[in-house]
């Protein structure tokens, strides 16, 4: 079953890895939904750090995924594949996808789509799935966050960082973040962080000890890895949990395993993109039940940085790499952006 759609579409891809300038518009065939899939007419596509890493040649799409960048979109269902009974053509949704978001049409697994509430703009909807799925899984499922605990987040004004602040506060966590500069610390506090540490001016290990009266934090959400790991462990209290979701500071870390044993620390981590569709559907179902009501009533909204046209994806990537953004960068995809 399908509605009439174009045979070709405008998308943004690249021929060879490189800087933002390698991104360029191209005309490609519109994909067709398979069993369990829907074809979305894209309104907006979120821009995320993994898109940048893919463009640089270090994060290839998983087998079977689109080679185009883009891990989250909002739009309308244009066609449905065999076995899809939960979505209808014309329905507004946002979705976590394994690739292909930088295009006028994108395939999504029906189980990874969430309905867009009336009060949520389509631009905001496109800025939610990647960070919400990532933070929910890693802080609350892998990190076992519980009411009254303290969370340390690096990169407090990033898309992930801002989502971690907001979710943490909605679920009664005390949230400490690190940021690079006084302006970003002020922005993180405005988003809702309880404490913001300027890592360029202060040792975050000493600051965490001061803020917590020497007790330390229960959880660290780490996007740096490298030599931050040993420092993060010093921030943890006994039985603390360290969750790594990116390795921007390097893939290797040297730690004192005797300390891990003595203090009963837990080290874990994950990457979402290669996980199975079944896992992501279960994660979406849990988010739909526990978090989506907060989106529907306006309690949870993404922090928005800038909107770029799809054809200016290179400028969007340059802004992300500059580190000047606060919150989410999204791409407006042609006339489809008028959906919202």
């Amino acid at each position: 079953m399908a509605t009439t759609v174009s045979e070709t579409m405008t998308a943004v891809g690249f021929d060879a890895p490189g800087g933002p300038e390698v991104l360029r518009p191209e005309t490609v065939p519109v994909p067709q939904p398979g069993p369990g899939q829907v074809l979305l007419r894209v309104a907006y596509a979120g821009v995320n750090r993994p898109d940048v890493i893919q463009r640089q040649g270090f994060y290839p799409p998983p087998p079977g995924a689109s080679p185009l960048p883009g891990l989250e979109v909002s739009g309308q269902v244009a066609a449905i594949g065999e076995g899809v009974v939960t979505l209808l053509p014309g329905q507004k949704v946002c979705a976590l996808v394994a690739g292909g978001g930088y295009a006028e049409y994108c395939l999504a697994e029906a189980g990874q789509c969430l309905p867009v509430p009336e009060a949520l703009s389509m631009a905001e909807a496109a800025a939610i799935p990647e960070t919400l799925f990532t933070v929910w899984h890693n802080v609350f499922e892998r990190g076992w966050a519980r009411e009254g605990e303290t969370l340390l987040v690096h990169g407090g004004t990033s898309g992930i960082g801002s989502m971690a602040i907001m979710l943490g506060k909605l679920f009664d966590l005390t949230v400490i973040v690190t940021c690079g500069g006084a302006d970003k610390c002020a922005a993180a506090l405005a988003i809702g962080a309880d404490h913001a540490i300027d890592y360029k001016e202060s040792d975050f290990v000493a600051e965490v000890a001061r803020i917590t009266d020497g007790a330390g934090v229960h959880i660290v959400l780490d996007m740096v890895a490298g030599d931050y790991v040993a420092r993060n462990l010093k921030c943890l209290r006994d039985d603390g949990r360290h969750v790594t979701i990116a390795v921007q500071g390097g893939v290797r870390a040297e730690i004192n395993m005797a300390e891990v044993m003595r203090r009963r620390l837990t080290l874990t981590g994950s990457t979402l993109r290669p996980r199975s569709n079944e896992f992501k559907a279960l994660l979406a179902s849990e988010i739909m039940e526990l978090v989506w009501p907060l989106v529907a009533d306006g309690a949870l909204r993404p922090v928005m940085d800038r909107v770029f046209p799809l054809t200016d994806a290179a400028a969007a990537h340059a802004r992300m790499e500059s580190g000047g953004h606060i919150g989410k960068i999204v791409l407006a995809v042609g006339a489809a952006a008028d959906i919202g």
Side-chain angles (χ1 to χ4, degrees), residues 5 25 37 49 54 60 63 77 79 100 118 144 159 162 165 169 192 196 202 212 273 280 292 295 311-312:
V5 298
Q37 294 182 325
R49 182 68 58 176
Q54 177 178 335
V77 177
E118 196 62 37
W144 309 317
S162 57
I165 291 170
K169 296 313 298 175
S202 304
T212 64
R273 192 180 192 184
K280 294 175 188 176
W292 214 241
V295 176
T311 51
D312 284 349

Side-chain angles (χ1 to χ4, degrees), residues 18-279:
E21 69 280 357
V22 303
L23 293 172
R24 44 92 183 114
E26 58 183 352
T27 300
V28 298
V30 173
Q32 299 300 310
Q37 294 182 325
V38 294
L39 178 69
L40 300 181
R41 177 175 173 251
V42 178
Y44 292 87
V47 177
N48 292 282
R49 182 68 58 176
D51 304 343
V52 171
I53 300 171
Q54 177 178 335
R55 190 209 70 227
Q56 293 170 337
F58 302 114
Y59 194 39
S66 169
L68 299 171
L71 300 178
E72 59 184 349
V73 296
S74 66
Q76 285 182 306
V77 177
I80 61 176
E82 180 184 351
V84 175
V85 296
T86 55
L87 298 171
L88 296 172
Q91 185 173 352
K92 293 182 181 181
V93 300
C94 59
L96 182 75
V97 297
Y102 290 15
E104 292 180 304
Y105 291 91
C106 178
L107 291 178
E109 298 295 323
Q112 294 165 217
C113 294
L114 295 167
V116 177
E118 196 62 37
L120 187 70
S121 74
M122 295 300 279
E124 290 173 318
I128 291 179
E130 172 68 13
T131 55
L132 177 53
F133 278 60
T134 298
V135 172
W136 184 259
H137 175 57
N138 287 284
V139 173
F140 293 92
E141 293 185 340
R142 302 195 71 80
W144 309 317
R146 294 184 291 274
E147 179 180 341
E149 293 191 325
T150 301
L151 168 69
L152 172 64
V153 181
H154 293 299
T157 56
S158 66
I160 290 286
S162 57
M163 179 61 72
I165 291 170
M166 293 183 292
L167 269 185
K169 296 313 298 175
L170 286 167
F171 287 87
D172 297 318
L173 303 181
T174 296
V175 182
I176 304 171
V177 301
T178 65
C179 304
D183 289 349
K184 288 206 167 187
C185 284
L189 292 171
I191 292 167
D194 294 285
H195 305 275
I197 302 167
D198 182 353
Y199 66 80
K200 294 181 178 180
E201 296 294 330
S202 304
D203 174 14
F204 73 81
V205 177
E207 282 297 291
V208 167
R210 180 187 65 79
I211 291 166
T212 64
D213 292 327
V217 302
H218 299 84
I219 309 162
V220 175
L221 182 63
D222 172 44
M223 293 178 270
V224 183
D227 61 8
Y228 260 48
V229 176
R231 298 170 70 192
N232 289 340
L233 298 190
K234 294 181 184 299
C235 294
L236 285 173
R237 64 177 62 202
D238 291 354
D239 296 298
R241 290 89 73 190
H242 183 281
V243 189
T244 298
I245 60 170
V247 290
Q248 296 177 28
V251 298
R252 296 184 182 277
E254 183 174 329
I255 60 175
N256 182 342
M257 292 306 297
E259 180 184 4
V260 173
M261 293 187 295
R262 179 178 61 83
R263 299 175 53 210
R264 303 173 304 281
L265 303 179
T266 298
L267 278 69
T268 185
S270 75
T271 182
L272 188 58
R273 192 180 192 184
R275 298 297 295 269
S276 70
N277 291 332
E278 292 77 14
F279 169 82

